[in-house]
Amino acid sequence: MRNVGISANGATNRIQVPGQPLRLRLRIKSSINVPSGLDYVGLYDGNGKALGLYGTGLKASPDYQNVTWTLPANTVYPVSISSYQGINTAVAQQKAGTFVLDRFEADVPTSIDLPKQPDLVADPLVSADGTLNTGTFKFATLSDVQFTADNPALSQVATAALARIRKTHPDLVVLNGDITDRGLPQDLSLARKVLTDAGCDLIPVGKEPAPNSTPKGDTVPCYYVPGNHESYGLNNTQSDLTNFTNEFGQPYRTFDHKGTRFILLASSLGTLRTSAWDQLPMLKQALDGAAKDRSIHNVMVFAHHPVDDPEETKSSQLGDRDEVALIEKLLTNFRDSTDKGAAMVGSHAQVANVHRVEGVPYTVLPSSGKDPYGTPDRGGFTGWVDWSVDARRTADQQWLEADVRAFAQSVNLDFPKTLSAGKSVVLIGSIVQPEGVGSGTRVVPLRYPMSVRWSGSPNLAIGGTADQARRTGKVAVLDPVTRTLTALRPGTVTISVTNDSMRAYTGDASLAPITASATVAVGR
């Protein structure tokens, strides 16, 4: 183990960290207290992915002291330091102060290569090819766009995404927090204008449409769940939801739609109880009522903070783990006692992910605008989610499906040019994602947790068995779940992938998707 001093790279405005450090330290003077766990350092990893770590606290003192951060075991090296923040979420303790930064240091062990992580195991909630069963209704989710009145560039993402969402004709849209990057009145006023201009009918509490209604006209009902950034004030200091409530009304609610009870919760201050205590008994009452109501067939719970952060740092999840245990118990008991479906959806961690607890799926949405935290191969990409709900199905059946739609500026297919009959190959490809509505460099593999839209020539079967494809004279069959192409008889097939684009919205033409095709010749 050696201690390494770190100096800045003027070309990138980041501090480059050598080797594969276990820990980072900052020697600093602070005139204010920063609680343990709220010293934040912003990093970029070896894939160019932004991530953040929370470290030890600070005491107000004229002397130098150290803040320490431990890097997670799955960090992709090398890393560089981009920012530092001292945060205090206790409003009564917030005051102006100064930091004097001396130097960063790193504890660097002997360099080793980490073993490759296994691929994610696909959850059946996510449609492999974007095909959704015809259910009772569809809805969409969007979150983590993060624009402000001072820096409105990413508002173009919200405009373009909502234009595309409306083309899929959802019954409603849930805006699951961090649409803005700050919660000042001018930020939230801009959010209202951007969302309304993009076709959102922002529904206040108590004004929800009739439970069995279908939207008509050029707008779609939108329900705004606040995130942590909607509670931030000047200089990104934690405040409360007063400004949000003044602009959009009460930040939590329940409503029913075509047999589904939606329960929308505010987690802006990191826990449900500190954000708005009254929503906890509301949650319990809503579940108890749904259990007895024969017109309610399932429940969907939303909060900006997920119950679990898929990343090893666990820094972007509900902070009160007793509260998380209560939520999981309530949803598990509801599902087990009623045979009605239950699911919860979060955001904040910006890693598309699904995990289950006692059969209840807990989904984390991808970021829609801001650079995601997760690595691209494990859900760290931008996009939105299209959902289908089937009220006719029970908790043990596929009552809920998700089409996870990533944004792309290009699609790259690395398919073999030839394949012998009787042989199989796993198809490999990727997309390059835009930065906002501009050019980007993030490369995301075409695989779970992204839904991949496959198509091809008439002699290509997509889905089904090889025997079924042979009987109908197909040249090859593609399994969209495993991405396995099996050659059946001589001929040539064309295989295509189509992805949502993300460009500045200028009309329907700007919503045109990105498509790439490749041909595979099947020999004897």
Side-chain angles (χ1 to χ4, degrees), residues 34-200:
V34 176
S36 180
L38 291 179
D39 273 300
Y40 176 90
V41 64
L43 305 173
Y44 282 86
D45 72 7
N47 289 332
K49 176 187 73 85
L51 65 151
L53 302 176
Y54 292 90
T56 55
L58 291 170
K59 297 292 186 183
S61 171
D63 300 323
Y64 277 109
Q65 54 194 302
N66 288 327
V67 181
T68 302
W69 296 273
T70 299
L71 280 82
N74 63 350
T75 299
V76 178
Y77 295 100
V79 298
S80 58
I81 300 169
S82 59
S83 64
Y84 164 75
Q85 297 179 51
I87 303 168
N88 195 329
T89 58
V91 177
Q93 298 176 20
Q94 293 173 359
K95 63 179 181 178
T98 58
F99 294 136
V100 178
L101 279 64
D102 179 27
R103 64 178 181 269
F104 280 98
E105 297 176 339
D107 291 339
V108 181
T110 302
S111 296
I112 60 171
D113 292 326
L114 293 175
K116 184 179 182 296
Q117 287 185 294
D119 287 347
L120 297 172
V121 177
D123 189 284
L125 179 97
V126 176
S127 169
D129 61 0
T131 301
L132 298 176
N133 292 328
T134 302
T136 308
F137 70 97
K138 288 173 56 181
F139 72 97
T141 51
L142 193 72
S143 66
D144 291 283
V145 182
Q146 299 193 215
F147 58 84
T148 66
D150 300 337
N151 185 11
L154 287 175
S155 68
Q156 297 179 81
V157 172
T159 299
L162 285 166
R164 177 171 288 103
I165 286 170
R166 285 167 50 219
K167 292 291 183 183
T168 67
H169 306 293
D171 278 13
L172 59 96
V173 177
V174 177
L175 305 165
N176 205 39
D178 283 6
I179 302 302
T180 64
D181 199 40
R182 193 178 57 190
L184 294 177
Q186 60 266 34
D187 304 317
L188 299 170
S189 177
L190 175 62
R192 177 177 288 279
K193 175 172 172 48
V194 169
L195 297 170
T196 302
D197 289 350
C200 262

Side-chain angles (χ1 to χ4, degrees), residues 403-471:
D403 175 9
V404 181
R405 304 175 70 148
F407 299 137
Q409 69 185 32
S410 64
V411 178
N412 305 305
L413 305 179
D414 187 18
F415 298 172
K417 296 185 181 301
T418 61
L419 189 64
S420 299
K423 300 295 185 181
S424 297
V425 65
V426 176
L427 299 182
I428 297 172
S430 61
I431 62 171
V432 178
Q433 292 208 292
E435 186 83 15
V437 296
S439 180
T441 58
R442 185 185 310 109
V443 178
V444 185
L446 287 169
R447 64 172 187 247
Y448 180 88
M450 181 198 308
S451 299
V452 181
R453 282 175 174 68
W454 301 95
S455 60
S457 52
N459 59 354
L460 173 70
I462 299 178
T465 67
D467 286 343
Q468 291 170 333
R470 283 193 190 92
R471 286 197 295 271

